[in-house]
Amino acid sequence: MTALLRDPLDAAALLRAGALVAFPTETVYGLGADACNGRAVAEIFAAKGRPHFNPLICHFADADAAFAQVRADARARALAARFWPGPLTLVLPRLADCRVELLAGAGLDTLAVRVPAHDLALAMLRAFGGPVAAPSANRSGRVSPTSPAHVMEELGGRIAAILDGGECAVGVESTVLDLAAGGAALLRPGGVPVEEIEAVIGPVGRPLPPEAAPAPTLRSPGLLLSHYAPALPLRLEAREVAADEALLAFGPPLPGAAITEQLSLSRDDREAARNLFGALRRLDAEGQRLGLRGIAAMPVPGGGLAPAIRDRLARAAAPRA
Ligand code: AMP
Ligand code: MG
């Protein structure tokens, strides 16, 4: 049985007992465990079916707590001051006395850290008082959850509890920035637009688009091509749609689809990000029920959160491994 919790103190108590607790953040729901408890961390990988080479992000109540575990240079401190709490994850070198289990970082000498901008998450983290490892609270490779109902669908019965914070405000995962290798490299576009990061620290290396990128390397082991995948095939950059397809619309919808979900009629990137995973889930469930051939996604051009949306859609459309 997976309990639905309202009180962040109850969530913290479960974490202390070594249990898995899904909790809301501004991006998506995370699947949390005590990052210093090897058994609890191992349970995250087991519950998600996540490969052990894919490291987890550690969540903290504030920047001081995060920077007690990793080496933060001036750029990391400037970014933390500007964007934390918020949807930016920094990959930094582990300190020699870092308390986080090596397994949480997949054995790497770096650790991904962030402070989420969500009152319930912060209250839980403060009450718990230590690092909380938390990937997205979905089965590995599937669509990320942006509501307690999504988490229940994905992990109900496999985890102790879900802290109920309603719908997530941002809707796509955090931007992951690697500062450990000397330069600054974007590992995953996300909730903080890269332009805003560059305004603070200067030029950031951009990844190749997912379909053009080489196989994941040790530096960014989580950048698997196929991810966020619905069961129905997804077709990108649709300019027309067939009667036996579901449509993921961005702006005035193409005519003729069997069913349609709208990301943002006014083509607002933030509204579209917030709607993305829920819309994909609904089209996938309803499309399968109706026996449709697949989902056609209209183009989502532009900057801001649009690159993160295009990244998720490209991975959702990629051939399964
Ligand atoms: P998730 O928490 O499931 O949304 O995924 C976390 C993302 O951060 C994955 O793409 C990971 O590969 C990436 N990540 C976490 N830790 C590190 C690290 N130490 N170095 C590089 N990438 C990381
Ligand atoms: Mg994930």
Side-chain angles (χ1 to χ4, degrees):
M1 258 298 284
T2 297
L4 210 53
L5 307 177
R6 300 247 168 229
D7 188 342
L9 300 186
D10 294 338
L14 281 171
L15 290 174
R16 224 171 280 125
L20 300 189
V21 181
F23 63 96
T25 77
E26 79 281 32
T27 60
V28 303
Y29 274 73
L31 178 58
D34 178 354
C36 305
N37 176 338
R39 198 144 47 125
V41 171
E43 300 254 344
I44 290 184
F45 287 92
K48 279 183 64 91
R50 183 172 173 116
H52 283 93
F53 60 77
N54 193 358
L56 311 176
I57 295 171
C58 278
H59 294 69
F60 298 85
D62 55 51
D64 286 344
F67 295 158
Q69 306 300 326
V70 289
R71 196 168 67 243
D73 60 12
R75 296 169 309 161
R77 289 178 192 281
L79 289 171
R82 169 74 179 75
F83 295 111
W84 282 356
L88 175 65
T89 293
L90 300 176
V91 174
L92 294 165
R94 289 171 67 105
L95 287 171
D97 58 354
C98 178
R99 292 170 46 230
V100 173
E101 281 288 327
L102 270 170
L103 175 61
L108 299 173
D109 54 7
T110 57
L111 192 66
V113 297
R114 112 170 168 99
V115 177
H118 194 291
D119 288 348
L120 285 178
L122 289 173
M124 180 193 82
L125 288 164
R126 270 193 295 270
F128 177 66
V132 171
S136 50
N138 51 280
R139 302 268 305 153
S140 189
R142 293 183 26 107
V143 179
S144 300
T146 52
S147 75
H150 295 165
V151 179
M152 204 55 103
E153 257 172 66
E154 293 286 326
L155 296 168
R158 290 172 178 266
I159 62 177
I162 302 170
L163 181 59
D164 184 354
E167 305 254 335
C168 300
V170 174
V172 291
E173 294 86 345
S174 59
T175 302
V176 180
L177 185 71
D178 186 354
L179 293 176
L186 181 67
L187 296 182
R188 173 175 78 184
V192 173
V194 68
E195 308 88 273
E196 292 186 20
I197 295 172
E198 290 184 319
V200 179
I201 60 165
V204 165
R206 314 292 172 93
L208 293 169
E211 59 284 4
T217 61
L218 260 190
R219 281 231 71 79
S220 53
L223 299 180
L224 300 173
L225 180 52
S226 175
H227 208 78
Y228 312 106
L232 287 176
L234 182 68
R235 182 165 74 79
L236 301 180
E237 303 284 317
R239 317 261 165 197
E240 82 307 314
V241 61
D244 59 352
E245 286 184 306
L247 179 68
L248 187 65
F250 183 67
L254 297 167
I259 51 173
T260 297
E261 285 280 340
Q262 181 58 262
L263 288 178
S264 170
L265 187 56
S266 63
R267 296 204 178 94
D268 178 79
D269 60 313
R270 290 181 181 272
E271 183 184 24
R274 198 155 56 232
N275 288 330
L276 176 67
F277 289 133
L280 266 180
R281 266 175 200 276
R282 285 190 297 275
L283 289 178
D284 197 27
E286 187 63 6
Q288 287 180 76
R289 202 180 65 74
L290 297 172
L292 301 184
R293 165 158 66 96
I295 302 170
M298 290 173 65
V300 182
L305 297 195
I309 296 170
R310 289 196 293 275
D311 171 83
R312 305 306 184 271
L313 287 173
R315 292 176 203 285
R320 317 289 150 78

